[in-house]
């Protein structure tokens, strides 16, 4: 099982000072993801149902702690939860 992070994306439309984010997900147990997030100092309240959003400096820390860097498409195909299930179903229909 692996904790996954995708590439940083720029979200110009968000009303926050930080506009660059990535996603951190897991291809196994959400408990593993929550434990990894806790090790980064991210509160569980920041969990968004199947992933955490990471700032650029949190992404660097996640990779240093062993998160696997993947492209967004791979993250979607591998991630646990309904969003990952939908991505895998779409791929299977092709």
């Amino acid at each position: 099982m692996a904790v996954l992070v995708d590439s940083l994306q720029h979200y110009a439309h968000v009303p926050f000072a930080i506009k660059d984010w990535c996603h951190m997900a897991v291809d196994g147990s959400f408990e593993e993801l929550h434990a990894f997030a806790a090790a980064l100092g991210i509160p569980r309240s920041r969990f968004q149902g199947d992933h955490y959003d990471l700032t650029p400096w949190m992404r660097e820390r996640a990779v240093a702690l062993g998160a696997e860097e993947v492209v967004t498409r791979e993250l979607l195909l591998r991630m646990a939860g309904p969003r990952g299930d939908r991505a895998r179903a779409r791929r299977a229909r092709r």
Side-chain angles (χ1 to χ4, degrees):
M1 293 181 218
V3 173
L4 313 167
V5 293
D6 63 358
S7 302
L8 291 168
Q9 299 291 320
H10 186 72
Y11 298 94
H13 66 281
V14 298
F16 309 119
I18 300 164
K19 305 286 187 186
D20 296 315
W21 298 85
C22 76
H23 305 95
M24 181 174 73
V26 68
D27 64 0
S29 159
F30 284 128
E31 289 309 313
E32 178 184 5
L33 181 61
H34 297 315
F36 199 92
L40 291 170
I42 302 170
R44 192 162 180 166
S45 62
R46 305 296 276 183
F47 181 60
Q48 296 185 24
D50 57 6
H51 74 280
Y52 288 88
D53 286 340
L54 299 183
T55 60
W57 57 90
M58 293 301 287
R59 184 184 189 282
E60 287 179 22
R61 289 188 55 216
V63 170
L65 286 175
E68 182 181 342
E69 297 176 277
V70 297
V71 296
T72 301
R73 181 176 200 77
E74 183 176 348
L75 181 133
L76 286 169
L77 288 170
R78 291 177 58 188
M79 73 189 298
R83 192 181 325 210
D85 293 341
R86 288 190 302 272
R88 288 183 290 279
R90 277 191 306 274
R91 183 179 192 192
R93 286 192 298 266
R94 291 183 187 169

